[in-house]
Amino acid sequence: MNSLNILIVDDDRFVVSALEQKINWTSLGIQQIYTAYNIRQAKKIFEETTIHILLSDIEMPQGSGLELLAWIRSEGFNVQAIYLTNFADFNYAQKAIELQSFDYYLKPIEFDKLEFIIKKAVNKVKLSQIKENAIKVGQYWQHNKEELVEHFWHNYLENNDTLAREEIQEQLRIKNINYSLNDCFLPLLLDFFPYKLIDNKGIISIFDKENNFHNKLKSIMMETFKNDSIRLDGVLKSSTTKDEYLAIFKLTDNAFEASSRDLISSCNQLIATINNQLKCDVQCSIGTSNPLNKIQAAVKALQVARKETIDFRNTIFCFETYNTNVNNYVEPNLQLLEHRLEDGNRLSFINKCYQYLTNLLDKNALSHHVLCCFRIDMTQLIYTHLKKKEILANKLFQGKISDLLLEQSSRSIDDLMIYISYLVDVSLDYMEFTNSQKSVVNTIRDYIDQNYQENITRTSLAQIVYLSPDYIARFFKKETGISLVNYIIKKRVDIAKDLLTNTNLPIHSISDKVGYENYSYFTKLFKKETNYTPIEFRKMVYSKSETS
């Protein structure tokens, strides 16, 4: 039990001293006695330490004890207040009762009677502390219980081996979880789509901004399903992907069969709330209710069915309606789509892809396999079109953005359309850029001018502008009248001439600075361009400066 502190407040110092000395505080369980002679001093003590019992006069020059108690209540301090007064005034007593004072004692003080009143106040404080501790223990146990339950579900469902009934019962016993094997549970799979493409140049994720996503999701789900005949017993994060969560509901009545209509209605509400509060798209996949020893297999079947079933974001999939028929891929009119690309008609190309997918969905002919086959065809179509323009598609689409969009593209119709739109937009935009050969030439020139000291080759330049090495070599010479190799040599020699003229650097250092590690080779190229060796050039410059 925590030690107790008392504060005595009275403007009469003799009264304060008498109370300190004539009451056996130790026997009452009071460890520390604080004193104050006005309200200002009393407030300061309350702000600096914990006070359990207040023993105060009412009438004081700098403010009454009732004003002090009103302030104590407004600040939220939990204190048992005993008043001492010379006045048997009903208004005082009434006000003290309104402020929930513990007792009201008329002076003169009879210390044995006052000690009895204080003892009752001490007992009330101790009882209050016991209740507070019980609440804290209950809250801790409830929180710990939720963690134990979720830990049980995580271990049970992530186990690759099917657990025997005895093994399940042993796990329940160890964790002290009140489940029976006959209890029925319902799995609900939540697939989140947290990524957003920004102007084809960057991707943001709601998970990067949301620090407490798991707890907020659990809170939303508890509120959404509070009126259903099911109880949320766990929200588990997938161990393989951060985009997937699994909710486990316990049927509160085993005779109850979860109504599909009610569940779908609640899931629609859940989707709307997640869209609004978490700013994220989601798909809900409703499993079937099963007893505890069969729920592991039911969850795995739901996960497989969900992966094979393709739909839009923010939709609901019911395992009961799962179609196990194998859908064969029938390719779209690739020639028509190719013409749309050649015409640069990106909107028409995207619309044709969208119509193809939605038609399959309406016919229940769209599966994960069909979606992936279509994605391969569209990717090859776009890559082939780029190759005709001598653009290196594998270089144009390398990087985190393309990799993530490709990874996400098989999850929904929306995600595949985002990926295809990205490929088309980037491709056609870059073709417009390459059609203006001056823009490409300027890009190459700028790169050479800034990186002349590096090992620059046609291949490395091709990777910068995503074009084939032969192609950039041809049009660079066509636009500038000089070959790439000779442009690089000329740039390096010009820089070397400047360094020879304006610095005292050794020639071998200048050779390194302009990208030639081989001093002899540098000398040979320099003489070919200027008719002088580097040494001769420097002497000539010095000679001219001396004569001038």
Side-chain angles (χ1 to χ4, degrees), residues 2-20:
N2 296 332
S3 58
L4 304 184
N5 301 327
I6 191 168
L7 172 61
I8 302 172
V9 185
D10 201 308
D11 60 317
D12 189 332
R13 294 177 180 270
F14 293 104
V15 171
V16 172
S17 178
L19 289 170
E20 282 185 287

Side-chain angles (χ1 to χ4, degrees), residues 428-457:
L428 295 182
D429 287 347
Y430 201 76
M431 279 188 277
E432 288 180 10
F433 170 74
T434 57
N435 286 338
S436 173
Q437 294 188 349
K438 287 184 178 180
S439 298
V440 178
V441 167
N442 289 337
T443 300
I444 293 173
R445 277 176 170 168
D446 289 343
Y447 181 83
I448 293 172
D449 291 349
Q450 294 174 24
N451 299 276
Y452 56 84
Q453 72 278 11
E454 303 294 335
N455 181 26
I456 301 175
T457 64

Side-chain angles (χ1 to χ4, degrees), residues 310-365:
I310 299 298
D311 206 330
F312 288 98
R313 295 180 180 184
N314 301 315
T315 53
I316 299 169
F317 163 72
C318 293
F319 184 78
E320 290 178 342
T321 62
Y322 176 50
N323 181 10
T324 57
N325 294 335
V326 177
N327 296 310
N328 295 319
Y329 174 59
V330 179
E331 66 182 31
N333 189 335
L334 296 177
Q335 189 174 9
L336 176 63
L337 289 169
E338 186 178 6
H339 288 327
R340 295 292 183 268
L341 277 181
E342 290 173 351
D343 295 340
N345 194 337
R346 66 185 75 194
L347 184 60
S348 178
F349 183 91
I350 296 300
N351 286 339
K352 290 295 181 184
C353 292
Y354 182 81
Q355 289 171 9
Y356 171 80
L357 293 171
T358 52
N359 286 337
L360 290 179
L361 182 65
D362 292 340
K363 298 174 183 176
N364 292 321

Side-chain angles (χ1 to χ4, degrees), residues 274-295:
I274 289 173
N275 292 163
N276 182 46
Q277 294 188 18
L278 299 180
K279 310 300 180 186
C280 187
D281 291 333
V282 64
Q283 281 181 339
C284 292
S285 301
I286 304 172
T288 55
S289 58
N290 279 272
L292 181 58
N293 62 312
K294 294 183 179 180
I295 197 68

Side-chain angles (χ1 to χ4, degrees), residues 307 310 329-332 334 337 349 353 356-357 360 366-383 402-412 415-421 423:
K307 185 177 180 181
I310 299 298
Y329 174 59
V330 179
E331 66 182 31
L334 296 177
L337 289 169
F349 183 91
C353 292
Y356 171 80
L357 293 171
L360 290 179
L366 184 59
S367 64
H368 184 265
H369 166 71
V370 171
L371 187 90
C372 290
C373 288
F374 177 69
R375 181 184 65 189
I376 291 172
D377 275 350
M378 293 304 98
T379 304
Q380 288 181 341
L381 194 66
I382 294 167
Y383 275 40
S402 181
D403 291 346
L404 181 59
L405 293 179
L406 173 61
E407 177 188 324
Q408 297 290 311
S409 64
S410 62
R411 299 184 64 203
S412 72
D415 288 273
L416 181 56
M417 291 308 305
I418 289 171
Y419 180 59
I420 292 175
S421 298
L423 294 180

